[in-house]
Every structure is written in C-alpha cells, then in structure tokens.
Amino acid sequence: MNNHGSFDRDRRHARSDEAHTDPIGYRVDEGSDFDRRMNGRPRPPQRHEPHPTPAPGADRERDRTARSDSERGAEPREVGRSRAASRRDRAASTRKRRGRIVALALGLVLIVAVAGGGYFAVSKFGNRTTPNADFAAGSSGDGVVIQVHPNDTAQQIGTEAADKGVVASSGAFLEAAIANNAITSVQPGFYLLTSNVPASRAVGELVDPASRVGNMVISEGRQLHDARDVNTGAVKKGIYTLISEASCVDRTGSGTPACVSYDDLNAAGAVDDPAALGVPAWATDRVEGVPDRDRQLEGLIAAGTWDFDPSAAPADILKQLVSESATRYEDTGILTAGTNSGLTPYDTLVAASLVERESLPQDFSKVARVILNRLAVPQKLEFDSTVNYSLDTTEVATTDADRARVTPWNTYASEGLPATPISSPSIGAVQAVEAPADGDWLYFVTINQAGETLFTRSYEEHLANIAKVEPGFLDSGR
C-alpha cells in the first residue's frame, strides 16, 4: 500500500509547529530550556516554586515516555509533567469520550409514526448512582391498560406504566426496553399489561402482539346494528358488535374476559345530547332531529382501523370514535364541497353512504352524479338499499310490499335523501359525492354478480338495460 500521500499531508500539517517544538515535543522557541542551553542564555528568574529534582534516570525515562507519546500522535506535553498526571488526563478524556458516545447512542433515538404503524425506542438515558426501583417477580397483580401514542418515547411509555402500577419506576422500564430489540416493533395503540411486575416482564408483554387490545377494523358500508342476509341467513356484524368484541379484556387472568355490551353501546349512542358523543357542529342539528335515536350515530363512525381504550365507559368510547371520524371526513374537504354539489356536509355524508351501498368503487362518481341529478329534478331516488336499511336486512332486490312501506329512509316512498346515512361510507365514496363525474344520467342498474352497471338518462333505455340482468340476480329471497 502506498502511504506517500498520507505522509506528506501529515508533514504539511506539522510544519507550522516546527519553529516551536523539537521532534519529541519539547519547546525550542526563545526563552525555552532548549534555546537557553543552545545559545548560552541565562535561565530567567523563577516566579514559582521549582519542580522537584528528578530522580536519577528520570530524564531518560521522561524522554522515552515523550518519544512514545509523539509516535502515538499525542499532543505535546509540558516539560516536567508527571506520567501519573498524564495517565489521569488520558483516562478522563476516555471517560468523557465514552460518555458522549453513550449519550449519542441512547439519546437521539425517537419513535417514528408512519401510516400503517409506528415504532419507538429510547429518548434519553441519564447517569445515576443507584439502581432504578423494580418490582420483584412473583407478586403480580391484575392487568391494566396503557396507551402507546404516536411519537411516544420509551421513557414516556415507562412513565405511564409506572403511574398505573405496572412497573416500579420508569427508569427500570427504560433499561428493560433498551435490552429488548423487539421494542421497535410496537405499534401505537392500547395494551393490557400485568401490574406489579419486573420491568423486563412488562416490556416483554408490551412487545407481544397478543397484549394489544381495543383494536378493530370497520369495513366500508358497515351499519351500526347487525343485519341479516335475506338469501343466506348470515348475520353481518354491526359496528356496535365489533366494538363490543374488541372491548373484551381479561384483567384478572380468570379466563373470562369482561366486555362492553352491545346493549350498553346502543343505549349510550341514543342519548339526547349528540355533542356529548362527539358529533361535530356541522351534523348536530340534523342528528338532533333523527326520528329513531338508536340510529342517530349512523355513518358518523368512519370505516377504517381503530384503536380505543376497552376499559373506558361506552359513551367515552363512542365519543372518541365519532370525534376522530369527524376529523377524517373533514380532511376530505366535506365542509366546503357543497359549493360544487349543493349539499350540506351532513347530506354529503348521507349521499356517500348511498353511493357505498349501491355501487362498486369504479362507479362511485357516476352513482354520485345520478343522485345529484335526481335531487335536482326532483325525482325519487328509489334505492333498494334504503328499503333494506329500515328492515335491518341485506338483499339486492326488494319486494313491492317493502318498497311501499313509508319510513324516514325509504327513498321509494319519499323524495329526497334518507333521514340519516345508511352505513359508514368509505373516504372514496365521500370524495365521489364531493366531486362527481360529469353526466346527465338518471338511471342505473347492476346486471350481474361481477358488479357490471349500466347508466342512462332515458327511462326506455333503462328498461332495456334491466332486461340484460342475468337470470336470478335480482330475485328476492322473501
């Protein structure tokens, strides 16, 4: 290996010091011992106590030490400085450097929250002289629920764990988190942890996916209440059922979890004060006028993945879900979309629920345009999904008797939109109503299981399209 370049660079850097030091680090400028001895100058008067006379051979030992330091690239040392003092300086420098490395390694790692999940590690690690308090094994208590927020650090999580009696101190939790690499896999959400346990066990439970509680997925088009398929008899779980199931937590380890009941959620969602349930101002007036209080929150809990505290009261759970859903809807521009559609924010949500139940995503914007065109005529919407809603059943087709039944939701019996949304629409359905496709269509019909849908403005052409429906597709199960 050719080192000439490195050598030359080192010599250039050292040239500025050549007038002041000799090759082993002694000073050689005017007034130094070297200059005085070489030029016969008298030693200047001492203003301080002289250094002790070195022992025989000390100069040679000092020379060897200085030469060794110079060869290692050490800084020039003051003549007469003891080896012990130099060792102390080097040790102190090493400790400071090690401390900086530890602080950097442990002090700058933060949680990173991203779509689909978040990760966290240690935010800081302080020096201490006494061990952090920690619970002994064998004295565990009941389970408690703690929350991991987006952007939480391990120390913040440890503080909540200590406050709720899971661990004896946040410091012990932090140490255990540092030692467990799986800590980086923890997602924001709620976790059931055993109380009064060693910090290592608490961290082990936190990183176990089975400890996560209060997590659920609400699919697009889901209703508050259970609905039965007319043809198969299968029951499609409603949002209240999904919340109830996700709330089940076994805090005592008895094997029998405690759950928030469907009936308790339904009762909490039917209170007379919608604002107490997180209903936004743009929906409050309409919700207060809903004819069936059990259905007043329909559509106001958005589709998507949700985390909630299963130990909270039913009303608090609903308030969280409704208020956070309002934010999701507002992020689509629902508050200002009426300038294009002519609909209020709440009616935009109602129309979006119809789009969701009547079509597939590729036809959302066309069905949204049909709704707006019919409202402008005005002409009854005549959607079978609105008939099914008040029956709590699901069927592609409906009977003549069902379509004739007057309800606040049946768009065969009344003009205009239903009294409430008939499901929780997807964000895509909301956006379709906010910005519908251009077209003059007034009719559409889905003709097969694949979802193929035909659109037209002409009623005669619509009747011809109905004739294209595959056999059996629109047969009623009643």
Side-chain angles (χ1 to χ4, degrees):
M1 178 176 179
N2 186 348
N3 288 320
H4 292 168
S6 175
F7 175 76
D8 291 342
R9 183 175 61 251
D10 292 345
R11 282 205 309 182
R12 286 196 301 271
H13 287 177
R15 190 170 295 132
S16 62
D17 292 332
E18 288 175 355
H20 305 290
T21 62
D22 73 1
I24 62 172
Y26 286 102
R27 289 179 57 81
V28 296
D29 55 340
E30 184 177 348
S32 67
D33 282 348
F34 181 87
D35 176 71
R36 178 174 54 78
R37 291 175 182 175
M38 291 295 295
N39 297 293
R41 294 190 179 94
R43 184 182 182 89
Q46 297 290 332
R47 289 178 294 178
H48 303 285
E49 290 295 323
H51 292 291
T53 302
D59 286 345
R60 289 192 300 274
E61 179 65 21
R62 182 176 61 218
D63 289 351
R64 284 196 299 271
T65 301
R67 186 175 298 110
S68 177
D69 285 348
S70 178
E71 290 168 356
R72 290 193 302 268
E75 293 290 334
R77 292 188 288 108
E78 182 182 351
V79 176
R81 185 167 178 77
S82 70
R83 295 174 64 195
S86 297
R87 285 195 298 271
R88 287 194 298 272
D89 287 347
R90 287 196 298 272
S93 177
T94 299
R95 285 194 300 272
K96 289 174 65 178
R97 185 167 58 253
R98 186 182 298 116
R100 287 194 296 268
I101 293 172
V102 171
L104 186 63
L106 299 181
L108 300 180
V109 186
L110 302 175
I111 293 180
V112 179
V114 296
Y119 307 91
F120 69 90
V122 179
S123 68
K124 68 178 182 178
F125 184 78
N127 293 325
R128 64 183 192 285
T129 57
T130 58
N132 288 305
D134 202 3
F135 290 132
S139 59
S140 60
D142 291 344
V144 297
V145 176
I146 70 166
Q147 182 178 10
V148 175
H149 302 84
N151 301 319
D152 267 359
T153 62
Q155 186 166 17
Q156 289 170 318
I157 297 168
T159 298
E160 181 175 358
D163 290 343
K164 292 193 172 183
V166 174
V167 294
S169 67
S170 60
F173 183 95
L174 185 59
E175 284 187 337
I178 294 170
N180 193 325
N181 291 333
I183 200 74
T184 59
S185 66
V186 175
Q187 306 273 334
F190 293 87
Y191 294 82
L192 179 67
L193 304 182
T194 307
S195 63
N196 210 65
V197 296
S200 59
R201 176 177 168 182
V203 172
E205 290 183 357
L206 178 64
V207 301
D208 183 355
S211 296
R212 191 169 183 179
V213 293
N215 176 255
M216 67 175 179
V217 176
I218 297 175
S219 60
E220 296 85 353
R222 190 77 60 162
Q223 298 173 345
L224 284 178
H225 304 93
D226 298 346
R228 181 181 58 85
D229 186 282
V230 172
N231 294 299
T232 67
V235 174
K236 185 176 183 179
K237 296 177 180 178
I239 292 174
Y240 286 157
T241 295
L242 296 177
I243 296 173
S244 177
E245 291 178 348
S247 73
C248 295
V249 173
D250 184 5
R251 296 183 182 84
T252 63
S254 65
T256 304
C259 311
V260 177
S261 74
Y262 177 100
D263 289 339
D264 287 343
L265 289 163
N266 190 53
V271 298
D272 291 334
D273 183 8
L277 294 174
V279 174
W282 49 265
T284 301
D285 289 346
R286 292 287 296 279
V287 171
E288 287 177 342
V290 171
D292 183 352
R293 308 241 47 96
D294 285 354
R295 300 179 186 271
Q296 67 179 354
L297 294 185
E298 194 71 82
L300 292 173
I301 298 177
T305 300
W306 291 101
D307 291 290
F308 65 90
D309 184 353
S311 64
D316 292 333
I317 294 173
L318 295 179
K319 181 177 182 180
Q320 175 207 329
L321 297 176
V322 171
S323 59
E324 292 181 8
S325 294
T327 300
R328 294 189 186 185
Y329 290 140
E330 289 164 10
D331 287 343
T332 70
I334 197 172
L335 297 180
T336 58
T339 56
N340 295 322
S341 67
L343 300 180
T344 66
Y346 187 79
D347 281 340
T348 298
L349 196 62
V350 175
S353 73
L354 302 182
V355 168
E356 187 70 54
R357 294 303 295 267
E358 288 285 334
S359 59
L360 296 177
Q362 63 264 27
D363 293 320
F364 278 178
S365 62
K366 285 187 174 181
V367 173
R369 173 54 65 189
V370 169
I371 293 172
L372 295 180
N373 288 346
R374 286 199 171 196
L375 291 175
V377 170
Q379 181 177 339
K380 292 178 183 177
L381 296 178
E382 297 182 335
F383 286 173
D384 290 308
S385 57
T386 64
V387 177
N388 285 327
Y389 177 74
S390 58
L391 299 173
D392 287 330
T393 58
T394 301
E395 186 178 23
V396 175
T398 56
T399 67
D400 290 341
D402 289 337
R403 289 192 293 272
R405 185 180 302 178
V406 178
T407 74
W409 293 272
N410 183 357
T411 57
Y412 277 95
S414 304
E415 290 183 358
L417 293 167
T420 70
I422 62 170
S423 70
S424 292
S426 63
I427 295 301
V430 175
Q431 292 171 329
V433 176
E434 293 170 351
D438 292 331
D440 61 356
W441 314 292
L442 289 173
Y443 306 95
F444 67 93
V445 61
T446 301
I447 64 173
N448 53 36
Q449 290 286 353
E452 184 180 356
T453 303
L454 305 178
F455 294 81
T456 181
R457 180 178 178 82
S458 165
Y459 183 68
E460 288 73 20
E461 187 175 352
H462 177 58
L463 293 177
N465 288 338
I466 292 176
K468 299 176 183 178
V469 174
E470 294 183 0
F473 178 61
L474 293 182
D475 289 350
S476 174
R478 283 189 285 261

